Amino acid sequence: MTDEATARQLEDAAALLVRDVLAEPGAWICSAGLARARELLWRVFERRPVAGPFLATAAADAAYVMWCCALACDQPTGAATRLRDHLRSTPDRQIPEPGYRQPPLRAVADWVAAVRSVPAPSPLDEAVFALSAVAAARGDDPAVLACLATARLRRYERDGAAADLDAAIEQLRRAAAGTTDDRLAVIALRRLAQCLIERHDAGGSAADAVEAASVLRTVWRRTERDRPAIGYQLANTLLACYQSRGEESDLDEANEILDLLVNDADPVTARIWGELGTARYLRYERRGDDADLDAAIDAYRTAVAVEPDDADIALANLGGVLVIRFEKRGDVADIEESVSVLRSMVERTAPDSPELPSRLTSLASSLQAWSLHTGADAALNEAVSVLQRAIEVSDTTSQKAIALHQLGHVLDDRYDFGGNLSDLDRARECYAQAVALAADDPLSRHLYLVSLGRAINKRYDLFGVESDSTAAVAALREAIALAPPGDPNKAGYLNGLARALFSRVRVRGSRKDLDQVIRYAAEAVAAAQVGDIYRGAYFNDLGMALLRRYRLDHVPQDLDLAVAAFRDAIGSPGAAGRGRPAPYSNLAGALQEKYEQENNISILTEAITYYRLACDTVAEGDPNIPLYQSNLGGALSTYALRTGRLESADEAVRLCRLAVDTIAPDDARAALLWANLAAAHAARAQLPGRSEAERSVDTSEAIRLWSAATEFVSCSAFQRMDIALEWAEFAEKLADSTKAAEVYAALARLVPQLVWRGLDQRRQEELLSGRQELVRDAAARCLADNQCDLAIELLEEGRSVLWTQRLEMQTDLDRLRAHHGDLADRLAHIRGRFDGW
């Protein structure tokens, strides 16, 4: 057969193929014979150059559409490459002018001109040029629009240009709406959903995720093919919707679809099992059902078992959720499995993998949890080393910021354990660097600001520098303002702000700040999700703030609200129990104050029950053990006086003695523990059934302990004054005027220490005006005991407190504050601590 005859046969065969391609443009997208069709069209084109008859130009046009689709998928063929090179080398005189009457050929000409204007375009750029030209020639041809959108999506994934993603979304909407081909419609809709989720993840609105879910629901209903993949994509999108707008119906629908897939799909892939684990965990966070937490762990374990060689994401999630369950239940097996799983994940990760930084960070988080709850110092030190490595290998700003933030947390915890101030300073530096790196990323920046604010506030608690408090509160307020709507962690941010303001209350005594503390703590409780493992801590902090306000104003409602908050703290999962005694102790303390208000013995009995729970659940080595023992002893002393039960008084003395013998003498709480032991001896001295000798021993020991407690400079003057008042009350019961005069003299000498030099004059005068009667009472007791000289001395000291301070101070802090405010504040705070404030 001659070449001409062969050419005619090829043209006849190609004519049928081209007619089908042009008549049903969506068919070739899914055709298994795409490569063969492209090769046949190339052979026609070789025999009939660009300027040839219509058949050849139509063949060239169809070949270009298919070739560009292949480029968009990064699969160019040899035939496509030859066709491209031929057209690009065709002399200009053989390329038809744009006004040429054949639209397909004009499109090819436009593409050639466009490509020639760009030096060495990449295949993706060529695909976008060519498909844009063909789309312009054909109008809204759905197949061409779908191909063009695919090319733009691939280029967006390469370059991150939002314009490409926006254009792809619009073109896919038009392609899906304009085609009658179900297969093309399904492809366009699934790709549209993918693009919408890409835009949502890049910082778009929740509306993108909602539209993507709606699109995929349509696909789910229209096709029976590839349902596991479509269902997985729909469930994934619904979870994105839930995390964007917080509607529980999205979460429920995602779980229902995944349940269908794990029951019906064959086989159930690791991706589906992993997504089920995520859906179950999110539902646990929402509802707090332990069954969902267990199901999440089981699903992640199954995902790892199904595809052990490709299970890195499932391993990371499994390791993280095991930490959550360990935090809640305290089962060491969970945290050990978590560390083991995450270590294996890191070991199997290549040193140059872009995933390595995030996997190192996950391992460090698990090591941190292990150390905090098991006392394994080596694990905390390993976490520091792991995060330093994560920072070194981070290729992106985002990865580095995340690793710095986590390193700050670990150093923060190491400071809490070891008390090394350099760890706290390094933690603050890490947080500040993370905040700076996230300048253009508000979704991460607010998290880093929360941590920075908390670290700065720790320094404020240590040194009382006013600028630290201002910076801490400002950082936390900015974090709350930047937090996205529906952020599940917002409760923690609000609680952090409440704690920072509470620190200011402890230093300044500001009622305005205290009211704000209660407001933000209440908002934190209201915002906390049922499964939030810190929900109990939020209730506890709210209770502490309400209790403080009650002590200022003595409004019974505040005390009732505090008791209710502490009860809610105990009732929250994981808040109280082994190793978590504080809520028990706090509730007991509030109940004890309620007993003093109502004089109801049943309330005191309940308080003793909770004090015992605090002692029974405290972890071995906890530095607060002496405090819990002493608190129980104090409550038992009160109970013994009320009921006359000597065995309760004996137990009180034993517990308080154990606490005093255990605590370090320079501990700030030592004076309170000595005072509790004094009160226990005093209570026992007043009970019937004791011999005079035994009563005398208890009385002498009580006086000795109270006297010593008022001399502890590590305790604040306010607390020492309260101790001295207890001592004075006991001395008056003894009807010993000499002893009473001695006690009141000690009490009067504490008054100058209340008005420490760091307070402004107005505040000093307020404090003095409320306590001048103590000086008068002390002078009266001295006169009653014929100690006239001591009475005059106390009256002189009492009326000249502020004047004496002025004489003693060589430098006016107000003048220093005008030039160096931070230095003045810090000097005032240090002076106050030396004064025992």
Side-chain angles (χ1 to χ4, degrees):
M1 186 180 294
T2 64
D3 287 345
E4 183 63 23
T6 301
R8 289 180 185 277
Q9 283 189 354
L10 286 172
E11 286 182 357
D12 290 340
L16 295 174
L17 178 60
V18 171
R19 189 180 304 118
D20 290 340
V21 168
L22 298 179
E24 297 186 31
W28 52 265
I29 293 182
C30 305
S31 173
L34 177 61
R36 186 176 64 83
R38 188 186 298 112
E39 186 68 28
L40 179 60
L41 289 168
W42 160 251
R43 292 171 65 186
V44 173
F45 181 79
E46 278 187 316
R47 296 177 183 279
R48 296 287 188 252
V50 172
F54 174 76
L55 175 62
T57 57
D61 182 29
Y64 258 89
V65 173
M66 289 187 288
W67 172 65
C68 292
C69 179
L71 282 182
C73 299
D74 298 324
Q75 295 174 348
T77 65
T81 303
R82 294 198 302 274
L83 180 58
R84 176 196 61 189
D85 293 343
H86 180 86
L87 282 174
R88 292 189 64 186
S89 63
T90 300
D92 288 342
R93 65 179 179 277
Q94 294 185 32
I95 302 296
E97 294 298 323
Y100 194 81
R101 65 181 180 83
Q102 296 175 5
L105 193 57
R106 186 174 68 242
V108 174
D110 291 344
W111 171 77
V112 172
V115 170
R116 284 177 171 173
S117 69
V118 178
S122 70
L124 268 181
D125 293 329
E126 288 190 64
V128 173
F129 283 137
L131 288 166
S132 297
V134 175
R138 290 189 177 176
D140 280 353
D141 184 317
V144 178
L145 287 173
C147 287
L148 176 56
T150 300
R152 287 194 181 280
L153 173 60
R154 296 291 180 264
R155 194 163 69 175
Y156 165 76
E157 291 170 346
R158 185 193 69 185
D159 300 336
D164 271 333
L165 189 58
D166 293 341
I169 289 171
E170 183 57 34
Q171 287 154 4
L172 287 165
R173 284 175 180 153
R174 287 156 52 197
T179 186
T180 57
D181 186 319
D182 278 349
R183 296 173 72 190
L184 175 59
V186 167
I187 290 172
L189 287 170
R190 289 184 65 181
R191 199 152 292 160
L192 171 60
Q194 179 187 353
C195 290
L196 288 165
I197 287 297
E198 289 272 6
R199 190 163 71 180
H200 168 267
D201 291 345
S205 68
D208 283 334
V210 172
E211 183 185 354
S214 177
V215 165
L216 287 167
R217 284 193 195 98
T218 301
V219 175
W220 178 258
R221 290 191 296 267
R222 285 179 62 170
T223 183
E224 292 297 323
R225 296 187 54 176
D226 204 18
R227 281 181 69 81
I230 296 170
Y232 169 83
Q233 191 178 6
L234 174 55
N236 184 276
T237 303
L238 286 165
L239 293 180
C241 288
Y242 167 71
Q243 291 174 308
S244 292
R245 58 181 185 169
E247 292 194 9
E248 197 167 356
S249 58
D250 292 329
L251 183 59
D252 289 339
E253 187 179 356
N255 274 281
E256 289 170 8
I257 289 170
L258 290 163
D259 282 339
L260 287 173
L261 293 179
V262 297
N263 289 323
D264 298 339
D266 185 23
V268 183
T269 64
R271 286 202 313 167
I272 293 174
W273 281 114
E275 196 71 2
L276 178 62
T278 301
R280 287 291 195 268
Y281 175 70
L282 290 173
R283 195 165 71 181
Y284 160 74
E285 275 192 327
R286 181 68 178 242
R287 299 177 183 169
D289 187 344
D290 284 359
D292 280 331
L293 181 59
D294 295 337
I297 290 172
D298 290 341
Y300 287 136
R301 283 175 175 156
T302 305
V304 173
V306 168
E307 295 183 32
D309 294 331
D310 189 24
D312 288 346
I313 294 176
L315 280 169
N317 290 335
L318 174 59
V321 177
L322 283 166
V323 171
I324 300 297
R325 192 166 73 177
F326 168 71
E327 294 275 1
K328 182 172 184 179
R329 299 181 189 170
D331 187 346
V332 177
D334 278 341
I335 194 63
E336 289 177 345
E337 181 184 357
S338 174
V339 171
S340 175
V341 161
L342 294 171
R343 275 189 179 140
S344 68
M345 183 185 67
V346 168
E347 289 168 0
R348 60 194 280 175
T349 303
D352 59 347
S353 170
E355 301 296 327
L356 182 58
S358 62
R359 292 173 183 177
L360 287 166
T361 303
S362 297
L363 172 58
S365 297
S366 185
L367 288 165
Q368 182 182 8
W370 193 11
S371 173
L372 290 179
H373 294 279
T374 61
D377 292 340
L380 202 58
N381 294 333
E382 183 184 352
V384 171
S385 300
V386 167
L387 287 164
Q388 288 171 338
R389 181 185 172 199
I391 294 169
E392 291 172 1
V393 300
S394 293
D395 293 327
T396 68
T397 299
S398 173
Q399 286 179 335
K400 190 171 184 178
I402 291 170
L404 280 165
H405 180 235
Q406 187 62 32
L407 177 57
H409 275 304
V410 175
L411 291 167
D412 221 336
D413 288 337
R414 195 164 72 175
Y415 162 74
D416 289 340
F417 272 96
N420 189 335
L421 191 59
S422 64
D423 279 338
L424 181 58
D425 290 336
R426 283 181 63 199
R428 186 175 62 166
E429 290 170 7
C430 289
Y431 294 143
Q433 290 176 38
V435 169
L437 289 172
D440 299 324
D441 182 11
L443 293 177
S444 298
R445 181 180 171 86
H446 77 280
L447 296 174
Y448 307 153
L449 282 165
V450 168
S451 300
L452 177 61
R454 289 172 177 168
I456 295 174
N457 194 62
K458 281 188 179 181
R459 284 191 61 85
Y460 176 65
D461 285 338
L462 284 172
F463 301 114
V465 177
E466 194 64 26
S467 59
D468 279 343
S469 178
T470 302
V473 170
L476 290 162
R477 289 191 190 280
E478 184 183 353
I480 292 170
L482 288 175
D487 190 328
N489 297 311
K490 189 173 183 180
Y493 314 152
L494 290 164
N495 187 253
L497 178 56
R499 286 190 171 189
L501 289 167
F502 201 34
S503 295
R504 188 182 288 178
V505 168
R506 285 194 290 266
V507 174
R508 291 181 180 177
S510 167
R511 174 56 187 274
K512 180 181 177 182
D513 284 337
L514 181 56
D515 289 340
Q516 287 193 72
V517 170
I518 293 171
R519 172 195 157 195
Y520 288 121
E523 289 181 9
V525 165
Q529 297 184 8
V530 175
D532 191 333
I533 61 173
Y534 300 110
R535 193 164 182 257
Y538 306 153
F539 275 116
N540 188 69
D541 289 347
L542 174 60
M544 295 299 291
L546 287 163
L547 191 58
R548 188 178 185 98
R549 192 166 70 180
Y550 166 74
R551 289 168 178 167
L552 288 175
D553 301 340
H554 300 288
V555 176
Q557 183 183 10
D558 278 340
L559 182 56
D560 291 340
L561 290 172
V563 168
F566 290 135
R567 290 192 193 280
D568 286 332
I570 290 172
S572 298
R578 176 60 54 190
R580 298 178 177 87
Y584 293 137
S585 182
N586 292 336
L587 175 57
L591 287 169
Q592 193 168 358
E593 297 210 25
K594 192 171 179 62
Y595 161 74
E596 293 170 2
Q597 179 195 87
E598 300 181 10
N599 199 30
N600 185 335
I601 190 64
S602 64
I603 296 176
L604 180 59
T605 302
E606 186 182 7
I608 291 172
T609 299
Y610 282 109
Y611 277 135
R612 290 193 189 281
L613 280 170
C615 290
D616 291 343
T617 57
V618 67
E620 185 178 352
D622 189 314
N624 291 313
I625 289 177
L627 182 62
Y628 298 137
Q629 292 170 333
S630 184
N631 286 342
L632 174 56
L636 287 167
S637 296
T638 304
Y639 183 78
L641 282 173
R642 174 67 185 272
T643 62
R645 293 185 178 179
L646 185 57
E647 65 272 17
S648 294
D650 290 340
E651 185 182 3
V653 170
R654 179 182 63 80
L655 287 167
C656 290
R657 172 62 63 185
L658 186 61
V660 164
D661 291 344
T662 305
I663 199 164
D666 59 349
D667 192 298
R669 301 165 298 179
L672 297 177
L673 270 58
W674 281 58
N676 272 357
L677 178 56
H681 278 289
R684 193 165 67 175
Q686 299 174 62
L687 293 181
R690 302 277 288 169
S691 67
E692 286 300 321
E694 289 172 330
R695 290 187 185 200
S696 177
V697 170
D698 277 330
T699 298
S700 299
E701 185 67 1
I703 291 171
R704 182 188 73 80
L705 290 164
W706 267 318
S707 177
T710 60
E711 300 296 326
F712 276 90
V713 294
S714 59
C715 183
S716 76
F718 289 98
Q719 292 172 325
R720 282 188 282 155
M721 184 167 284
D722 288 339
I723 291 169
L725 284 169
E726 289 182 14
W727 178 16
E729 182 181 349
F730 182 65
E732 288 189 331
K733 286 181 181 178
L734 296 176
D736 185 339
S737 60
T738 301
K739 185 59 64 178
E742 177 187 338
V743 175
Y744 272 95
L747 189 59
R749 290 193 172 104
L750 286 172
V751 171
Q753 296 185 31
L754 298 178
V755 289
W756 65 292
R757 295 172 175 84
L759 298 175
D760 58 45
Q761 186 171 340
R762 180 186 61 79
R763 181 61 176 153
Q764 287 178 323
E765 290 172 352
E766 286 177 0
L767 291 170
L768 283 175
S769 64
R771 288 169 174 79
Q772 284 289 37
E773 69 275 8
L774 293 175
V775 177
R776 292 194 296 269
D777 289 345
R781 296 300 192 289
C782 291
L783 289 173
D785 195 43
N786 294 318
Q787 299 187 53
C788 299
D789 292 342
L790 180 57
I792 294 171
E793 180 184 337
L794 292 176
L795 287 171
E796 284 295 324
E797 288 179 359
R799 72 184 183 86
S800 61
V801 171
L802 298 182
W803 181 246
T804 302
Q805 282 189 1
R806 290 288 183 185
L807 292 176
E808 289 175 349
M809 293 179 64
Q810 299 300 314
T811 303
D812 191 332
L813 286 183
D814 289 338
R815 292 171 57 191
L816 176 63
R817 188 172 285 110
H819 300 284
H820 302 286
D822 290 352
L823 184 59
D825 289 340
R826 187 170 182 182
L827 179 59
H829 185 75
I830 292 171
R831 282 179 173 175
R833 298 188 73 173
F834 276 116
D835 287 345
W837 181 81

